[in-house]
Amino acid sequence: MADFDFDLFVIGGGSGGVRAARMAAQRGARVALAEVAKMGGTCVNLGCIPKKLYSYAAHFAESFEESHGFGWVGEAPVLNWETLKTNRAREISRLNDIYMQLLKSAGVHIVDGWATLTGAHTVEVAGQRYSAKNILIATGGKPGIPEFPGSEQVISSNEMFDLSPFPQRLLVVGGGYIACEFASIFNGLGAHVTQLYRGHQVLRGFDDEVRGFIAGEMVKSGVTLHLNTDVAAIERTEGGLQVRLLDGSHITADSVLYATGRSPLVEGLGLDAAGVRQAKSGAIEVNDQYQTSVPSIYALGDVTARVQLTPVALAEAMVVVDALFGPPAGKKPRSMSYDFIPTAVFTHPNIGTVGYTQAEAAGKFGKISVYRSDFKALKHTLSGSTERTLMKLIVEDATDRVVGLHMVGADAGEIVQGFAVAMKAGATKAVFDATLGIHPTMAEEFVTMRESVKP
């Protein structure tokens, strides 16, 4: 048997890479992990965590305004952008340290720098070569910015958390969840936000009714939304960034965020030299065990461009660890199912969803029933807000199984997480109907909907 420096060498210290390295080391494997940036990857440093913190910050403005209807009087405080940035940075630094300590306490050897494959069992980092029986690539993804006249003037989501000064006029280009979230967040923080999307409606891939509903709610809250158009050119002037659209109109902004997609972070990995096969998008191709075309090299998470969500990368990591080092005593090796993955979009209001959209369900199951409720939440009967909540259930007629559940409203992610357990277990509409609601809550609406609407 060949003598290797490590049993597993992990490239990338994001959620999936850290989980795989830590769990493998706890099983007794000799593990190394290489990371060129701070531990935690996009989610901790430039994605989920700071974005949710800023979302919390943005909600305070509307909460102060809504409090008047409940008897609170006085002027609302004003945002200190520098304080928010400083406090966020401190919390992220704390999380970086926690990730590092988790790895070290498990016995993982940390290598600082960018790792490049030099063979099926070897990597090189900063001139030092390491060998490993197996290698795991978990480098994640990166934001992409297309080239056009003035594209050097725009920023990506990576720069949004530390903008200086605060952008009073923000243009967001894109219609995905990152674009919609930042549009909502900075609108809530006090910027005048314009969102631009070349498609006919934002959030492609989500339920069509949800897409239209959240677009309407965002516009009501103050976001200016332009659909079916795109940027032609950008020029920096004394008055700000002059953005010319394809139709000839102009928008003036202090900052322009491009959130038009992410791509796998594969540059400099040496995939070609190692013989690792990639899709046209650059994504690393893997089988059900996340094994690449080179049997000793694995890949997971956003670099494979399957489902780009942190919990998915964590679950995939456990599949790899079980496959390579065996499951815990008395347990079966884990496998990964991509059905009924719940997710949330932290727009204002939030979106929570699990299962099939109405169009997907109709195409897959044929006959379906749709149950929906659109209402003003109890809170807003006094708050003065015009915000509304949408809830929707999609049921396969042949089995009565609930195959889609969608919500737009406050704390939608928190609510949908619980229902995702029921749906993963195969709950039917009859089970929903037999479940007592918690009154008065918005969540109870999911178990009290009785009248279906025509699909």
Side-chain angles (χ1 to χ4, degrees):
M1 182 179 292
D3 184 22
F4 299 106
D5 297 328
F6 299 100
D7 300 309
L8 178 66
F9 194 104
V10 179
I11 303 175
S15 300
V18 168
R19 173 64 63 87
R22 186 164 66 94
M23 293 296 105
Q26 289 181 354
R27 306 267 172 95
R30 298 170 301 156
V31 182
L33 182 147
E35 174 55 64
V36 71
K38 293 181 179 180
M39 286 296 174
T42 297
C43 180
V44 169
N45 295 291
L46 299 167
C48 321
I49 302 301
K51 181 179 62 182
K52 187 72 180 288
L53 290 174
Y54 279 24
S55 179
Y56 284 134
H59 274 296
F60 279 107
E62 63 189 32
S63 295
F64 292 136
E65 182 65 27
E66 292 168 358
S67 71
H68 299 319
F70 292 87
W72 293 91
V73 296
E75 294 297 319
V78 296
L79 173 70
N80 187 315
W81 176 237
E82 295 304 318
T83 297
L84 175 58
K85 291 195 296 182
T86 298
N87 291 345
R88 178 220 87 234
R90 183 172 59 246
E91 172 58 15
I92 299 307
S93 180
R94 185 184 72 85
L95 294 175
N96 296 148
D97 291 342
I98 288 175
Y99 270 66
M100 185 68 78
Q101 289 307 312
L102 286 172
L103 290 168
K104 289 182 176 178
S105 63
V108 176
H109 178 71
I110 308 297
V111 181
D112 295 323
W114 185 261
T116 301
L117 297 169
T118 56
H121 295 279
T122 54
V123 300
E124 186 173 300
V125 185
Q128 178 71 42
R129 183 164 291 197
Y130 303 89
S131 64
K133 184 177 180 180
N134 291 289
I135 298 168
L136 173 62
I137 303 171
T139 49
K142 63 177 183 177
I145 296 176
E147 290 189 7
F148 59 89
S151 60
E152 71 279 359
Q153 305 290 349
V154 311
I155 57 177
S156 73
S157 57
N158 287 356
E159 292 80 51
M160 289 301 293
F161 301 106
D162 279 307
L163 288 178
S164 183
F166 180 84
Q168 296 299 327
R169 300 167 297 179
L170 175 66
L171 173 62
V172 178
V173 182
Y177 74 93
I178 295 175
C180 291
E181 287 173 335
F182 275 115
S184 282
I185 288 168
F186 276 82
N187 176 63
L189 292 175
H192 180 272
V193 177
T194 301
Q195 185 175 356
L196 196 69
Y197 181 49
R198 64 184 181 182
H200 76 278
Q201 189 53 277
V202 297
L203 293 174
R204 182 169 58 89
F206 285 76
D207 185 85
D208 286 339
E209 189 172 10
V210 167
R211 298 169 69 191
F213 193 90
I214 190 59
E217 291 299 310
M218 289 174 65
V219 169
K220 280 198 310 185
S221 71
V223 175
T224 301
L225 180 61
H226 294 290
L227 300 171
N228 297 307
T229 189
D230 206 347
V231 172
I234 299 177
E235 181 182 0
R236 182 173 293 280
T237 68
E238 288 186 2
L241 294 172
Q242 294 296 322
V243 183
R244 179 167 58 84
L245 307 187
L246 292 178
D247 62 8
S249 62
H250 288 77
I251 295 172
T252 303
D254 299 311
S255 297
V256 177
L257 164 64
Y258 250 77
T260 53
R262 294 175 63 84
S263 59
L265 183 54
V266 293
E267 290 81 3
L269 285 176
L271 299 178
D272 288 340
V276 175
R277 192 160 49 240
Q278 297 171 257
K280 288 183 179 180
S281 65
I284 298 176
E285 296 182 350
V286 295
N287 61 19
D288 291 342
Q289 298 298 313
Y290 308 100
Q291 192 174 39
T292 71
S293 55
V294 180
S296 59
I297 301 177
Y298 293 73
L300 58 78
D302 290 5
V303 77
T304 66
R306 284 188 168 183
V307 179
Q308 298 179 33
L309 296 170
T310 293
V312 170
L314 295 173
E316 291 174 346
M318 295 313 302
V319 173
V320 172
V321 171
D322 281 2
L324 292 178
F325 306 106
K331 302 286 186 180
K332 292 182 179 180
R334 271 166 275 212
S335 59
M336 182 67 190
S337 169
Y338 294 93
D339 291 331
F340 298 102
I341 295 174
T343 190
V345 184
F346 296 106
T347 45
H348 295 191
N350 294 174
I351 299 170
T353 182
V354 57
Y356 296 89
T357 67
Q358 182 174 332
E360 290 170 341
K364 182 176 179 64
F365 302 109
K367 291 185 178 181
I368 60 171
S369 295
V370 177
Y371 300 79
R372 69 180 301 283
S373 183
D374 172 352
F375 59 95
K376 178 184 283 191
L378 176 62
K379 174 184 178 181
H380 297 314
T381 60
L382 296 187
S383 73
S385 171
T386 62
E387 179 181 292
R388 296 189 66 80
T389 295
L390 171 69
M391 291 183 169
K392 187 172 182 180
L393 291 176
I394 300 163
V395 179
E396 179 191 9
D397 286 353
T399 63
D400 195 43
R401 183 179 182 182
V402 179
V403 295
L405 184 148
H406 311 279
M407 176 179 175
V408 182
D411 298 316
E414 304 290 347
I415 292 170
V416 170
Q417 176 67 84
F419 283 103
V421 177
M423 292 183 60
K424 193 70 173 177
T428 61
K429 184 63 168 65
V431 170
F432 272 61
D433 292 343
T435 302
L436 297 181
I438 300 173
H439 185 73
T441 66
M442 287 191 294
E444 70 176 319
E445 197 73 17
F446 275 128
V447 297
T448 59
M449 286 189 275
R450 296 291 187 269
E451 297 295 324
S452 63
V453 297
K454 277 194 172 184

